[in-house]
PDB file of all heavy atoms in Angstrom:
ATOM      1  N   ASN A   1      38.315  51.328  36.141  1.00 96.00           N
ATOM      2  CA  ASN A   1      39.272  52.352  35.709  1.00 96.00           C
ATOM      3  C   ASN A   1      38.840  53.771  36.029  1.00 96.00           C
ATOM      4  O   ASN A   1      39.638  54.714  35.982  1.00 96.00           O
ATOM      5  CB  ASN A   1      39.479  52.237  34.172  1.00 96.00           C
ATOM      6  CG  ASN A   1      40.199  50.962  33.797  1.00 96.00           C
ATOM      7  OD1 ASN A   1      40.954  50.425  34.575  1.00 96.00           O
ATOM      8  ND2 ASN A   1      39.941  50.492  32.589  1.00 96.00           N
ATOM      9  N   ASN A   2      37.548  53.929  36.440  1.00 96.00           N
ATOM     10  CA  ASN A   2      37.013  55.210  36.798  1.00 96.00           C
ATOM     11  C   ASN A   2      36.920  55.474  38.270  1.00 96.00           C
ATOM     12  O   ASN A   2      36.385  56.456  38.746  1.00 96.00           O
ATOM     13  CB  ASN A   2      35.607  55.474  36.096  1.00 96.00           C
ATOM     14  CG  ASN A   2      35.256  56.896  36.022  1.00 96.00           C
ATOM     15  OD1 ASN A   2      36.065  57.735  35.691  1.00 96.00           O
ATOM     16  ND2 ASN A   2      33.951  57.146  36.214  1.00 96.00           N
ATOM     17  N   THR A   3      37.448  54.556  39.067  1.00 97.00           N
ATOM     18  CA  THR A   3      37.370  54.648  40.505  1.00 97.00           C
ATOM     19  C   THR A   3      38.449  55.653  40.948  1.00 97.00           C
ATOM     20  O   THR A   3      39.669  55.442  40.668  1.00 97.00           O
ATOM     21  CB  THR A   3      37.597  53.269  41.237  1.00 97.00           C
ATOM     22  OG1 THR A   3      36.579  52.372  40.772  1.00 97.00           O
ATOM     23  CG2 THR A   3      37.548  53.466  42.733  1.00 97.00           C
ATOM     24  N   ALA A   4      38.063  56.689  41.677  1.00 97.00           N
ATOM     25  CA  ALA A   4      38.982  57.723  42.039  1.00 97.00           C
ATOM     26  C   ALA A   4      39.363  57.649  43.516  1.00 97.00           C
ATOM     27  O   ALA A   4      40.454  57.934  43.959  1.00 97.00           O
ATOM     28  CB  ALA A   4      38.420  59.110  41.804  1.00 97.00           C
ATOM     29  N   LEU A   5      38.406  57.199  44.401  1.00 97.00           N
ATOM     30  CA  LEU A   5      38.632  57.176  45.820  1.00 97.00           C
ATOM     31  C   LEU A   5      37.967  56.012  46.526  1.00 97.00           C
ATOM     32  O   LEU A   5      36.904  55.541  46.002  1.00 97.00           O
ATOM     33  CB  LEU A   5      38.103  58.457  46.514  1.00 97.00           C
ATOM     34  CG  LEU A   5      38.744  59.794  46.198  1.00 97.00           C
ATOM     35  CD1 LEU A   5      37.997  60.906  46.888  1.00 97.00           C
ATOM     36  CD2 LEU A   5      40.253  59.811  46.620  1.00 97.00           C
ATOM     37  N   LEU A   6      38.522  55.511  47.550  1.00 97.00           N
ATOM     38  CA  LEU A   6      37.848  54.596  48.482  1.00 97.00           C
ATOM     39  C   LEU A   6      37.523  55.388  49.742  1.00 97.00           C
ATOM     40  O   LEU A   6      38.400  55.945  50.378  1.00 97.00           O
ATOM     41  CB  LEU A   6      38.699  53.385  48.842  1.00 97.00           C
ATOM     42  CG  LEU A   6      39.233  52.558  47.656  1.00 97.00           C
ATOM     43  CD1 LEU A   6      40.086  51.391  48.179  1.00 97.00           C
ATOM     44  CD2 LEU A   6      38.122  51.980  46.785  1.00 97.00           C
ATOM     45  N   LEU A   7      36.215  55.505  50.044  1.00 95.00           N
ATOM     46  CA  LEU A   7      35.806  56.364  51.167  1.00 95.00           C
ATOM     47  C   LEU A   7      35.241  55.528  52.327  1.00 95.00           C
ATOM     48  O   LEU A   7      34.428  54.634  52.153  1.00 95.00           O
ATOM     49  CB  LEU A   7      34.746  57.334  50.653  1.00 95.00           C
ATOM     50  CG  LEU A   7      34.079  58.216  51.718  1.00 95.00           C
ATOM     51  CD1 LEU A   7      35.145  59.194  52.265  1.00 95.00           C
ATOM     52  CD2 LEU A   7      32.926  59.050  51.113  1.00 95.00           C
ATOM     53  N   LYS A   8      35.758  55.872  53.544  1.00 94.00           N
ATOM     54  CA  LYS A   8      35.161  55.284  54.735  1.00 94.00           C
ATOM     55  C   LYS A   8      34.634  56.438  55.607  1.00 94.00           C
ATOM     56  O   LYS A   8      35.335  57.449  55.744  1.00 94.00           O
ATOM     57  CB  LYS A   8      36.271  54.504  55.469  1.00 94.00           C
ATOM     58  CG  LYS A   8      35.678  53.722  56.692  1.00 94.00           C
ATOM     59  CD  LYS A   8      36.740  52.739  57.221  1.00 94.00           C
ATOM     60  CE  LYS A   8      36.220  51.907  58.429  1.00 94.00           C
ATOM     61  NZ  LYS A   8      35.043  51.130  58.056  1.00 94.00           N
ATOM     62  N   ALA A   9      33.516  56.206  56.238  1.00 89.00           N
ATOM     63  CA  ALA A   9      32.919  57.201  57.108  1.00 89.00           C
ATOM     64  C   ALA A   9      32.699  56.636  58.524  1.00 89.00           C
ATOM     65  O   ALA A   9      32.212  55.530  58.624  1.00 89.00           O
ATOM     66  CB  ALA A   9      31.593  57.702  56.517  1.00 89.00           C
ATOM     67  N   HIS A  10      33.162  57.343  59.509  1.00 84.00           N
ATOM     68  CA  HIS A  10      33.080  56.949  60.903  1.00 84.00           C
ATOM     69  C   HIS A  10      31.578  57.040  61.280  1.00 84.00           C
ATOM     70  O   HIS A  10      30.933  58.018  61.164  1.00 84.00           O
ATOM     71  CB  HIS A  10      33.887  57.802  61.800  1.00 84.00           C
ATOM     72  CG  HIS A  10      33.762  57.500  63.249  1.00 84.00           C
ATOM     73  ND1 HIS A  10      33.623  56.200  63.751  1.00 84.00           N
ATOM     74  CD2 HIS A  10      33.824  58.325  64.366  1.00 84.00           C
ATOM     75  CE1 HIS A  10      33.554  56.249  65.057  1.00 84.00           C
ATOM     76  NE2 HIS A  10      33.666  57.522  65.462  1.00 84.00           N
ATOM     77  N   GLN A  11      31.044  55.910  61.887  1.00 73.00           N
ATOM     78  CA  GLN A  11      29.673  55.902  62.426  1.00 73.00           C
ATOM     79  C   GLN A  11      29.639  56.579  63.754  1.00 73.00           C
ATOM     80  O   GLN A  11      29.444  55.889  64.746  1.00 73.00           O
ATOM     81  CB  GLN A  11      29.161  54.476  62.472  1.00 73.00           C
ATOM     82  CG  GLN A  11      29.189  53.742  61.085  1.00 73.00           C
ATOM     83  CD  GLN A  11      29.098  52.215  61.266  1.00 73.00           C
ATOM     84  OE1 GLN A  11      29.031  51.683  62.341  1.00 73.00           O
ATOM     85  NE2 GLN A  11      29.132  51.531  60.082  1.00 73.00           N
ATOM     86  N   SER A  12      29.838  57.877  63.725  1.00 57.00           N
ATOM     87  CA  SER A  12      30.072  58.580  65.008  1.00 57.00           C
ATOM     88  C   SER A  12      28.800  58.905  65.757  1.00 57.00           C
ATOM     89  O   SER A  12      28.779  59.211  66.930  1.00 57.00           O
ATOM     90  CB  SER A  12      30.828  59.845  64.738  1.00 57.00           C
ATOM     91  OG  SER A  12      30.115  60.737  63.889  1.00 57.00           O
ATOM     92  N   ASN A  13      27.617  58.883  65.055  1.00 55.00           N
ATOM     93  CA  ASN A  13      26.370  59.259  65.728  1.00 55.00           C
ATOM     94  C   ASN A  13      25.343  58.114  65.794  1.00 55.00           C
ATOM     95  O   ASN A  13      24.138  58.386  66.020  1.00 55.00           O
ATOM     96  CB  ASN A  13      25.786  60.531  65.123  1.00 55.00           C
ATOM     97  CG  ASN A  13      25.516  60.347  63.632  1.00 55.00           C
ATOM     98  OD1 ASN A  13      25.714  59.284  63.038  1.00 55.00           O
ATOM     99  ND2 ASN A  13      24.993  61.384  63.043  1.00 55.00           N
ATOM    100  N   TYR A  14      25.807  56.910  65.529  1.00 55.00           N
ATOM    101  CA  TYR A  14      24.887  55.754  65.638  1.00 55.00           C
ATOM    102  C   TYR A  14      25.708  54.458  65.729  1.00 55.00           C
ATOM    103  O   TYR A  14      26.923  54.486  65.507  1.00 55.00           O
ATOM    104  CB  TYR A  14      23.930  55.611  64.380  1.00 55.00           C
ATOM    105  CG  TYR A  14      24.627  55.347  63.081  1.00 55.00           C
ATOM    106  CD1 TYR A  14      24.673  54.026  62.530  1.00 55.00           C
ATOM    107  CD2 TYR A  14      25.279  56.336  62.336  1.00 55.00           C
ATOM    108  CE1 TYR A  14      25.356  53.772  61.338  1.00 55.00           C
ATOM    109  CE2 TYR A  14      25.913  56.076  61.165  1.00 55.00           C
ATOM    110  CZ  TYR A  14      25.931  54.803  60.670  1.00 55.00           C
ATOM    111  OH  TYR A  14      26.571  54.561  59.466  1.00 55.00           O
ATOM    112  N   ILE A  15      25.028  53.402  66.168  1.00 64.00           N
ATOM    113  CA  ILE A  15      25.664  52.078  66.356  1.00 64.00           C
ATOM    114  C   ILE A  15      24.943  51.049  65.598  1.00 64.00           C
ATOM    115  O   ILE A  15      23.657  50.954  65.654  1.00 64.00           O
ATOM    116  CB  ILE A  15      25.700  51.742  67.839  1.00 64.00           C
ATOM    117  CG1 ILE A  15      26.492  52.772  68.670  1.00 64.00           C
ATOM    118  CG2 ILE A  15      26.386  50.407  68.058  1.00 64.00           C
ATOM    119  CD1 ILE A  15      26.392  52.578  70.147  1.00 64.00           C
ATOM    120  N   ILE A  16      25.669  50.195  64.873  1.00 65.00           N
ATOM    121  CA  ILE A  16      25.076  48.942  64.325  1.00 65.00           C
ATOM    122  C   ILE A  16      25.669  47.779  65.037  1.00 65.00           C
ATOM    123  O   ILE A  16      26.872  47.569  65.037  1.00 65.00           O
ATOM    124  CB  ILE A  16      25.446  48.881  62.777  1.00 65.00           C
ATOM    125  CG1 ILE A  16      24.855  50.073  62.002  1.00 65.00           C
ATOM    126  CG2 ILE A  16      24.867  47.538  62.221  1.00 65.00           C
ATOM    127  CD1 ILE A  16      25.155  50.046  60.543  1.00 65.00           C
ATOM    128  N   GLN A  17      24.831  47.061  65.764  1.00 64.00           N
ATOM    129  CA  GLN A  17      25.267  45.970  66.628  1.00 64.00           C
ATOM    130  C   GLN A  17      24.660  44.638  66.072  1.00 64.00           C
ATOM    131  O   GLN A  17      23.662  44.647  65.375  1.00 64.00           O
ATOM    132  CB  GLN A  17      24.830  46.170  68.077  1.00 64.00           C
ATOM    133  CG  GLN A  17      25.592  47.345  68.676  1.00 64.00           C
ATOM    134  CD  GLN A  17      25.154  47.554  70.104  1.00 64.00           C
ATOM    135  OE1 GLN A  17      23.999  47.373  70.481  1.00 64.00           O
ATOM    136  NE2 GLN A  17      26.090  47.906  71.017  1.00 64.00           N
ATOM    137  N   GLY A  18      25.236  43.553  66.549  1.00 67.00           N
ATOM    138  CA  GLY A  18      24.732  42.220  66.224  1.00 67.00           C
ATOM    139  C   GLY A  18      25.538  41.543  65.062  1.00 67.00           C
ATOM    140  O   GLY A  18      26.754  41.459  65.140  1.00 67.00           O
ATOM    141  N   PHE A  19      24.798  41.141  64.055  1.00 68.00           N
ATOM    142  CA  PHE A  19      25.390  40.410  62.950  1.00 68.00           C
ATOM    143  C   PHE A  19      26.034  41.409  62.014  1.00 68.00           C
ATOM    144  O   PHE A  19      25.456  41.830  61.004  1.00 68.00           O
ATOM    145  CB  PHE A  19      24.308  39.565  62.293  1.00 68.00           C
ATOM    146  CG  PHE A  19      24.817  38.609  61.226  1.00 68.00           C
ATOM    147  CD1 PHE A  19      25.744  37.548  61.508  1.00 68.00           C
ATOM    148  CD2 PHE A  19      24.446  38.679  59.899  1.00 68.00           C
ATOM    149  CE1 PHE A  19      26.222  36.711  60.606  1.00 68.00           C
ATOM    150  CE2 PHE A  19      24.836  37.821  58.981  1.00 68.00           C
ATOM    151  CZ  PHE A  19      25.761  36.844  59.289  1.00 68.00           C
ATOM    152  N   THR A  20      27.217  41.821  62.301  1.00 70.00           N
ATOM    153  CA  THR A  20      27.853  42.881  61.557  1.00 70.00           C
ATOM    154  C   THR A  20      29.294  42.622  61.111  1.00 70.00           C
ATOM    155  O   THR A  20      29.950  41.732  61.678  1.00 70.00           O
ATOM    156  CB  THR A  20      27.888  44.224  62.406  1.00 70.00           C
ATOM    157  OG1 THR A  20      28.782  44.047  63.511  1.00 70.00           O
ATOM    158  CG2 THR A  20      26.538  44.636  62.854  1.00 70.00           C
ATOM    159  N   GLN A  21      29.774  43.335  60.130  1.00 82.00           N
ATOM    160  CA  GLN A  21      31.132  43.231  59.689  1.00 82.00           C
ATOM    161  C   GLN A  21      31.454  44.466  58.858  1.00 82.00           C
ATOM    162  O   GLN A  21      30.610  44.937  58.103  1.00 82.00           O
ATOM    163  CB  GLN A  21      31.397  41.969  58.821  1.00 82.00           C
ATOM    164  CG  GLN A  21      32.828  41.783  58.410  1.00 82.00           C
ATOM    165  CD  GLN A  21      32.987  40.493  57.562  1.00 82.00           C
ATOM    166  OE1 GLN A  21      32.095  39.602  57.554  1.00 82.00           O
ATOM    167  NE2 GLN A  21      34.124  40.348  56.978  1.00 82.00           N
ATOM    168  N   GLU A  22      32.630  44.988  58.983  1.00 82.00           N
ATOM    169  CA  GLU A  22      33.093  46.121  58.181  1.00 82.00           C
ATOM    170  C   GLU A  22      34.584  45.933  57.780  1.00 82.00           C
ATOM    171  O   GLU A  22      35.348  45.317  58.488  1.00 82.00           O
ATOM    172  CB  GLU A  22      32.885  47.456  58.859  1.00 82.00           C
ATOM    173  CG  GLU A  22      33.703  47.648  60.076  1.00 82.00           C
ATOM    174  CD  GLU A  22      33.532  49.017  60.725  1.00 82.00           C
ATOM    175  OE1 GLU A  22      34.013  50.017  60.141  1.00 82.00           O
ATOM    176  OE2 GLU A  22      32.891  49.129  61.774  1.00 82.00           O
ATOM    177  N   ALA A  23      34.905  46.450  56.625  1.00 85.00           N
ATOM    178  CA  ALA A  23      36.295  46.400  56.219  1.00 85.00           C
ATOM    179  C   ALA A  23      37.122  47.359  57.071  1.00 85.00           C
ATOM    180  O   ALA A  23      36.733  48.495  57.359  1.00 85.00           O
ATOM    181  CB  ALA A  23      36.424  46.791  54.714  1.00 85.00           C
ATOM    182  N   SER A  24      38.276  46.867  57.544  1.00 90.00           N
ATOM    183  CA  SER A  24      39.104  47.712  58.366  1.00 90.00           C
ATOM    184  C   SER A  24      39.894  48.748  57.567  1.00 90.00           C
ATOM    185  O   SER A  24      39.994  48.613  56.315  1.00 90.00           O
ATOM    186  CB  SER A  24      40.093  46.849  59.147  1.00 90.00           C
ATOM    187  OG  SER A  24      41.029  46.281  58.273  1.00 90.00           O
ATOM    188  N   LEU A  25      40.334  49.701  58.243  1.00 92.00           N
ATOM    189  CA  LEU A  25      41.184  50.821  57.556  1.00 92.00           C
ATOM    190  C   LEU A  25      42.419  50.123  56.933  1.00 92.00           C
ATOM    191  O   LEU A  25      42.808  50.459  55.846  1.00 92.00           O
ATOM    192  CB  LEU A  25      41.589  51.839  58.573  1.00 92.00           C
ATOM    193  CG  LEU A  25      40.552  52.994  58.798  1.00 92.00           C
ATOM    194  CD1 LEU A  25      41.085  53.913  59.859  1.00 92.00           C
ATOM    195  CD2 LEU A  25      40.242  53.733  57.498  1.00 92.00           C
ATOM    196  N   ALA A  26      43.046  49.248  57.707  1.00 93.00           N
ATOM    197  CA  ALA A  26      44.222  48.577  57.230  1.00 93.00           C
ATOM    198  C   ALA A  26      43.937  47.837  55.877  1.00 93.00           C
ATOM    199  O   ALA A  26      44.805  47.871  54.966  1.00 93.00           O
ATOM    200  CB  ALA A  26      44.760  47.632  58.293  1.00 93.00           C
ATOM    201  N   GLU A  27      42.844  47.129  55.879  1.00 95.00           N
ATOM    202  CA  GLU A  27      42.482  46.411  54.620  1.00 95.00           C
ATOM    203  C   GLU A  27      42.257  47.382  53.464  1.00 95.00           C
ATOM    204  O   GLU A  27      42.720  47.111  52.313  1.00 95.00           O
ATOM    205  CB  GLU A  27      41.198  45.606  54.862  1.00 95.00           C
ATOM    206  CG  GLU A  27      41.431  44.400  55.740  1.00 95.00           C
ATOM    207  CD  GLU A  27      40.124  43.674  56.009  1.00 95.00           C
ATOM    208  OE1 GLU A  27      39.098  44.360  56.279  1.00 95.00           O
ATOM    209  OE2 GLU A  27      40.094  42.435  56.020  1.00 95.00           O
TER     210      GLU A  27
END
């Protein structure tokens, strides 16, 4: 009930590769 925002940050200056997964903007 105290959640105000869902925040996503673009990984613009680094890369995480391999065994990865992230929630999409649409989701």
Side-chain angles (χ1 to χ4, degrees):
N1 292 332
N2 200 37
T3 301
L5 295 174
L6 303 180
L7 176 64
K8 186 171 181 61
H10 177 36
Q11 301 163 359
S12 61
N13 58 1
Y14 65 100
I15 299 173
I16 299 177
Q17 293 180 323
F19 189 59
T20 65
Q21 183 179 348
E22 65 177 287
S24 68
L25 276 177
E27 289 176 317

